[in-house]
Amino acid sequence: MLKKKTRFIVLILYIIFNPLIITAQIKGVIVETGTRVPIDFADVLLFEKGKEQPVLHTIPDSKGHFSLSGVKAGEYTLMVRLVGFDIYTKPNIQISGVSVLDLGFIEMNPLEQGLAEVEIVAQKKQIIYKLDKRVIEAAGSLLADGGSAVDILENTPSVRVNAEGEVTFRGSSGFLVYVDGKPSVFSGSQALEQIPSGQIQNIEIITTPSARHDTDGDVGIINIITKKHFGGGLSGMVNVSGSTVLSRNIDFLVTQQSKASRWFLGGAWTERLRESSFNQDKTTIIDDLTTISQSDGPRESNNFNYSLKAGYVYSLPATTLNIDFEGGYGGRTRSGDLDYKEVKRSNGDEESGDYFSRDEYDLHETYFQGNVGFDHQFHKKGHQLTGNFYLKYGGDALEYFQSDLFDKNNVQQQGHRAWEDEHRWTVRTNLDYVFPYSESGRLEAGHQYFSYLEDGDYRMDFWDPEKQGFYDREDIYNTFYFQRGIHSIYAIVADRYKAFDFQLGVRGEHTHRVLESSKEWANRTVNRFELFPSIHLGYTFPNDHHLMASFSYRTTRPQLFYMEPYITYRDYYSAEIGNPDILPEYIYVYELNYRKNIGEHAVSATLFHRNRKDKIERLRVPYEAGVTLDSMANVGNDYATGLELSIQAQPLRWWNLTLNSSYYYYKVKNKLEISGGADETSRNYEIMLNNGFAAGKNTRIQLDGNLVGPSVTTQGKTDAFWYMNLSVRQQMLNRKLTGTLAFRDVFNSARYNSHITTANLESVTKIRPKYPLITLTLSYTFNSFKQRSSQSKEDHDLFEGTNH
């Protein structure tokens, strides 16, 4: 018995004090030879003498700095590898009592050809995990060629795209979209669809943002990193694509790099079409009137953007100055041409009708945006001050609705037109300071001012069946003014002790919001100050086991269209109205991530929990006979707890396999009686299996399968569905020309089925995407366009019409 107790005590003491055993740290900075440009995302591997597998593995930060902690006494070889560069090795590293070994600058020699020429023979990791974000490699998905940012997110765990093309992550659409750290031209799903995949280097998903980031977005921030040329001289690239549903895209980027400066010029002409067959059965009950309707027919939409951009960067010995500008015209159109049958029953009487329903929707704006910034480096490494000023103007912005109802003789029976003219201004200024107080520690502080202003008016015309013409509804005319200003300050402390990393931060935000309209009863002014803490912890165990834990407190502030106090129409039988009293959501996000690199393979698992207060959700209620009314409301609280698993393996030299899956328990606790809903729970799951095959030196094949589990809201549910995709990429002309043929939903299995059930409304919507959906993309690079390499959603972007 005494021996067992002694062994137990020894074991406990070993577990406690083993991490404290004196070990060494190896650090350095990885840069490109000649230019001294920092290189991030390279694989830094440490091999112990006599062993074939690395004992430690890490990835540099954005400045090229890396650190390997917990190195025991012995002889080692350091290896650094990255696609597009020669492999760097440093043998005979002796560790014996040295606490910190600084290797200084490690220079990587670029290969003679650019990145586009070697991506066939060297496979990148698809997802890279860092302390406060995950990085999705754009070149990892062949299906993304000719697509958008949505397509690149295809195999990301817990990302889902509904039939309307709206992206959700972990069950929420509350995320911010940035481009190179600045606000995107558009917001949400529309922003992701507007950015051509050919101009994207990688995508950062920040699920628990630190205090330096905006607090909006309950599931975090999606930051699009665009391609940039870092080789000398003039280079460029052109991408052209088209599909069987007549989607088309052409984009280009030309850039000139010299010793102290770089300029670029780019543009895009994009029209992304989505076509689906739409069927909806709906029953509404208003007092003693029951209306049963059926809509059936094609629906289509087009997300379009025509833009030009330019920028210039000039580097002084200690300061870098940059300026960029973008202008364009973009938006979204949607239309439907449906057969509409209706039966009305009241007090024993019955009336039926057979009609054609035709509706159109057009949301567009002409926009101009610019950014001016600087980055000053002080004498001490890592000591810096950065600043940015961002301005965007959206002019001639118009939101147009048209809905008409014709009988079978093509005589118009009902209809309306609606116009919402708007002007939009966005301003953001940032000043950020970083002070390294030690070799591994730093303090950060900064201030940000953000302002969004929108003003305009709304009017409607209705059809008069007797006069066979439209008339103005003066009682509906409304003017509106909306302005939200946010002053933010933040502070962060970050450091590393041996194998332990931490980052603690807090952000304070004062919000001033004004909402005014012709409906004076809906005028609102809000002033609010709030604190948002964040915590990020990391620990590297022996044998390259990494554990990261994080916490972030977030909010989702209501957008303007959530609050507009007047009725608009999506089509003849679907109306919408805002809620000026809707409250912000407040979210607590917790994450625990484990990752392990095993030679060429990698495994990562993330356990997460999200608790959201005052959840904002679209509710649907009967409005008039056969017409439903949608509004946004705080329906209650919701909770999501789940696990995301990612396995990246290379079973054979020519075969790369990635398995991404997620499973989470979701609960909505309904507190709004008017919704007619109840507390709902669901067990949501997604499984994505991606196979990449190297069929020769210049050919790659990708086959992936997607299984999407069901989901719930306070009023209904969406059924599960599955589909498979196939794509082939061929490189030609000495790898300067690349052609990709992508076939989505190969077996025509994707189906979107949605059910809504309340006391006085029942709606079943079925959507089937147009088949086949095949895309051909051609990409050409000239003068060895070379981007800074990086390591290698569930995009079910197949449907149109889910919000009907």
Side-chain angles (χ1 to χ4, degrees):
M1 188 70 177
L2 180 60
K3 289 183 178 180
K4 290 184 178 180
K5 289 184 177 179
T6 303
R7 290 173 182 172
F8 178 75
I9 293 172
V10 171
L11 177 62
I12 295 298
L13 292 174
Y14 176 80
I15 293 174
I16 294 174
F17 292 105
N18 184 58
L20 302 180
I21 294 175
I22 301 301
T23 56
Q25 177 189 39
I26 300 176
K27 66 178 184 177
V29 184
I30 302 176
V31 298
E32 183 177 346
T33 301
T35 65
R36 284 292 179 100
V37 173
I39 294 177
D40 56 357
F41 300 111
D43 279 311
V44 182
L45 306 164
L46 188 67
F47 294 84
E48 190 173 2
K49 185 177 181 179
K51 294 185 178 181
E52 295 184 356
Q53 295 296 327
V55 294
L56 288 175
H57 170 267
T58 191
I59 299 169
D61 61 19
S62 60
K63 301 297 184 183
H65 298 273
F66 75 90
S67 174
L68 295 165
S69 301
V71 183
K72 299 178 181 179
E75 184 176 338
Y76 297 90
T77 296
L78 182 78
M79 176 187 293
V80 183
R81 61 185 184 187
L82 183 61
V83 174
F85 291 84
D86 284 332
I87 295 177
Y88 171 90
T89 58
K90 183 176 179 59
N92 304 322
I93 298 177
Q94 300 289 339
I95 300 296
S96 57
V98 179
S99 59
V100 178
L101 177 60
D102 190 347
L103 300 179
F105 288 100
I106 294 176
E107 296 189 346
M108 301 285 287
N109 295 315
L111 296 174
E112 290 300 321
Q113 62 268 42
L115 176 63
E117 303 174 42
V118 300
E119 61 187 0
I120 294 294
V121 296
Q123 178 70 19
K124 305 174 189 178
K125 293 180 181 177
Q126 185 186 31
I127 304 177
I128 293 294
Y129 291 86
K130 290 201 169 187
L131 186 63
D132 59 351
K133 62 188 173 186
R134 66 186 71 178
V135 182
I136 312 301
E137 172 58 45
S141 174
L142 274 63
L143 283 161
D145 286 1
S148 66
V150 173
D151 302 294
I152 296 174
L153 293 169
E154 180 168 10
N155 289 321
T156 302
S158 297
V159 176
R160 175 174 296 203
V161 180
N162 71 9
E164 193 80 359
E166 295 179 352
V167 178
T168 60
F169 181 61
R170 294 176 178 173
S172 173
S173 59
F175 55 84
L176 298 180
V177 178
Y178 289 166
V179 178
D180 293 325
K182 301 181 288 290
S184 63
V185 174
F186 301 99
S187 62
S189 303
Q190 185 181 4
L192 297 175
E193 284 200 294
Q194 299 283 5
I195 305 172
S197 61
Q199 295 197 7
I200 299 175
Q201 179 178 338
N202 56 51
I203 299 178
E204 298 176 344
I205 300 179
I206 309 172
T207 53
T208 53
S210 67
R212 76 170 63 89
H213 296 292
D214 293 329
T215 57
D216 260 320
D218 62 292
V219 288
I221 296 169
I222 296 178
N223 185 31
I224 311 296
I225 306 298
T226 59
K227 291 180 178 178
K228 302 173 183 65
H229 173 62
F230 288 94
L234 179 70
S235 294
M237 58 187 300
V238 180
N239 303 290
V240 181
S241 66
S243 77
T244 52
V245 296
L246 301 183
S247 288
R248 50 265 187 187
N249 172 79
I250 179 169
D251 62 84
F252 72 93
L253 180 63
V254 180
T255 181
Q256 169 79 43
Q257 175 78 47
S258 63
K259 185 176 182 180
S261 65
R262 175 173 60 87
W263 62 262
F264 69 86
L265 175 67
W269 183 81
T270 302
E271 294 185 355
R272 305 195 186 283
L273 280 73
R274 185 185 298 110
E275 297 183 13
S276 295
S277 62
F278 176 89
N279 179 275
Q280 184 177 75
D281 295 315
K282 186 190 301 183
T283 300
T284 61
I285 301 174
I286 300 178
D287 297 327
D288 60 351
L289 176 62
T290 300
T291 304
I292 302 172
S293 63
Q294 182 184 53
S295 305
D296 185 78
R299 300 200 67 89
E300 63 180 36
S301 67
N302 179 18
N303 280 280
F304 60 90
N305 188 38
Y306 318 107
S307 64
L308 286 172
K309 62 180 181 180
Y312 182 75
V313 179
Y314 186 78
S315 298
L316 298 168
T319 305
T320 300
L321 306 174
N322 66 84
I323 182 171
D324 56 74
F325 172 83
E326 181 176 356
Y329 173 76
R332 180 179 184 181
T333 62
R334 183 185 63 241
S335 63
D337 192 354
L338 310 177
D339 289 327
Y340 180 72
K341 298 179 180 180
E342 183 179 77
V343 177
K344 296 181 179 179
R345 296 170 182 165
S346 177
N347 298 323
D349 297 327
E350 183 173 302
E351 177 184 344
S352 62
D354 197 353
Y355 307 96
F356 294 118
S357 173
R358 297 167 185 164
D359 60 87
E360 294 183 10
Y361 169 79
D362 183 6
L363 172 66
H364 64 256
E365 73 171 348
T366 302
Y367 62 88
F368 304 93
Q369 67 173 15
N371 182 80
V372 179
F374 73 90
D375 182 342
H376 179 74
Q377 303 289 331
F378 296 94
H379 295 295
K380 188 175 182 180
K381 184 171 64 175
H383 188 192
Q384 65 181 29
L385 178 69
T386 60
N388 280 281
F389 174 78
Y390 169 86
L391 174 66
K392 180 206 166 187
Y393 171 68
D396 300 322
L398 176 67
E399 193 167 1
Y400 172 73
F401 299 83
Q402 174 182 325
S403 182
D404 299 301
L405 199 65
F406 299 85
D407 63 21
K408 290 302 180 178
N409 296 319
N410 208 33
V411 177
Q412 186 161 355
Q413 302 296 311
Q414 299 290 344
H416 62 255
R417 308 281 189 270
W419 296 264
E420 189 171 63
D421 294 292
E422 302 165 349
H423 295 273
R424 305 164 182 157
W425 289 91
T426 304
V427 176
R428 194 175 85 155
T429 62
N430 293 81
L431 189 65
D432 302 281
Y433 177 71
V434 179
F435 175 72
Y437 62 83
S438 69
E439 287 292 327
S440 59
R442 71 181 188 276
L443 294 173
E444 298 184 33
H447 171 267
Q448 174 180 287
Y449 174 70
F450 174 86
S451 174
Y452 177 77
L453 185 151
E454 180 176 331
D455 69 341
D457 61 1
Y458 178 81
R459 61 187 177 92
M460 288 191 68
D461 289 350
F462 274 71
W463 178 258
D464 187 333
E466 295 182 359
K467 297 181 179 180
Q468 287 291 295
F470 285 93
Y471 66 95
D472 183 24
R473 286 284 302 270
E474 294 183 0
D475 59 313
I476 291 181
Y477 178 78
N478 189 77
T479 61
F480 59 88
Y481 172 88
F482 175 78
Q483 195 271 334
R484 175 185 286 139
I486 303 173
H487 280 280
S488 308
I489 56 173
Y490 74 89
I492 293 175
V493 58
D495 208 336
R496 170 180 296 155
Y497 177 72
K498 296 183 178 178
F500 176 69
D501 295 87
F502 72 88
Q503 179 178 280
L504 308 176
V506 63
R507 187 180 183 94
E509 294 193 338
H510 178 269
T511 302
H512 175 74
R513 191 191 76 197
V514 177
L515 175 65
E516 296 177 352
S517 71
S518 300
K519 300 182 183 301
E520 295 184 1
W521 61 268
N523 292 349
R524 302 288 189 273
T525 300
V526 173
N527 286 284
R528 182 185 296 116
F529 180 80
E530 299 160 303
L531 292 175
F532 298 90
S534 66
I535 302 173
H536 295 80
L537 308 174
Y539 190 84
T540 301
F541 293 89
N543 299 320
D544 202 30
H545 296 273
H546 302 273
L547 191 65
M548 294 177 288
S550 58
F551 163 78
S552 185
Y553 180 50
R554 312 284 299 159
T555 186
T556 299
R557 298 178 175 90
Q559 302 179 46
L560 174 58
F561 76 88
Y562 291 2
M563 300 180 286
E564 293 172 334
Y566 45 84
I567 292 177
T568 61
Y569 283 80
R570 295 176 62 85
D571 51 52
Y572 176 72
Y573 40 84
S574 302
E576 297 177 332
I577 190 171
N579 176 4
D581 293 315
I582 198 166
L583 301 173
E585 297 176 336
Y586 292 97
I587 307 98
Y588 300 86
V589 184
Y590 307 84
E591 280 192 16
L592 183 66
N593 173 265
Y594 166 82
R595 59 183 173 88
K596 165 70 175 174
N597 293 285
I598 309 170
E600 299 295 331
H601 317 300
V603 61
S604 173
T606 301
L607 180 67
F608 67 88
H609 174 74
R610 186 186 71 231
N611 177 8
R612 176 166 48 180
K613 178 185 176 183
D614 293 326
K615 170 181 167 60
I616 298 174
E617 188 172 296
R618 182 189 300 272
L619 297 182
R620 179 167 294 178
V621 297
Y623 178 55
E624 296 175 345
V627 180
T628 54
L629 179 66
D630 289 357
S631 181
M632 309 301 291
N634 299 106
V635 298
N637 301 339
D638 73 346
Y639 311 86
T641 303
L643 177 68
E644 297 168 349
L645 178 65
S646 178
I647 300 175
Q648 301 174 63
Q650 190 170 7
L652 300 170
R653 180 177 177 81
W654 48 268
W655 177 22
N656 289 277
L657 184 147
T658 301
L659 173 66
N660 289 321
S661 62
S662 67
Y663 176 88
Y664 63 94
Y665 173 79
Y666 182 71
K667 179 179 180 180
V668 181
K669 190 170 183 180
N670 182 36
K671 294 184 178 180
L672 196 64
E673 295 181 3
I674 191 174
S675 71
D679 294 354
E680 295 284 352
T681 62
S682 68
R683 289 167 173 80
N684 303 267
Y685 56 86
E686 292 96 21
I687 301 175
M688 293 80 71
L689 181 62
N690 180 293
N691 294 273
F693 305 97
K697 187 176 181 180
N698 299 320
T699 306
R700 279 183 61 192
I701 301 172
Q702 180 176 312
L703 175 67
D704 65 60
N706 300 264
L707 174 61
V708 185
S711 61
V712 301
T713 67
T714 56
Q715 291 189 312
K717 65 177 182 178
T718 301
D719 295 343
F721 63 95
W722 68 276
Y723 64 94
M724 295 187 67
N725 301 319
L726 175 66
S727 57
V728 180
R729 176 185 291 172
Q730 179 69 41
Q731 291 185 322
M732 300 159 281
L733 301 180
N734 195 27
R735 300 195 182 111
K736 292 184 178 296
L737 177 65
T738 301
T740 303
L741 189 67
F743 192 166
R744 287 188 171 275
D745 189 21
V746 175
F747 298 108
N748 195 22
S749 59
R751 301 291 185 273
Y752 180 90
N753 298 327
S754 171
H755 309 263
I756 295 177
T757 302
T758 68
N760 49 15
L761 170 65
E762 184 171 352
S763 175
V764 178
T765 303
K766 298 179 180 179
I767 302 175
R768 179 177 179 177
K770 186 174 181 179
Y771 183 85
L773 178 54
I774 302 174
T775 302
L776 174 64
T777 303
L778 297 176
S779 301
Y780 182 76
T781 62
F782 59 89
N783 290 354
S784 299
F785 181 90
K786 185 196 304 176
Q787 58 188 354
R788 186 182 301 169
S789 301
S790 62
Q791 281 284 348
S792 69
K793 118 191 156 173
E794 158 192 36
D795 172 20
H796 316 297
D797 187 15
L798 302 166
F799 311 92
E800 165 57 35
T802 52
N803 285 340
H804 297 267

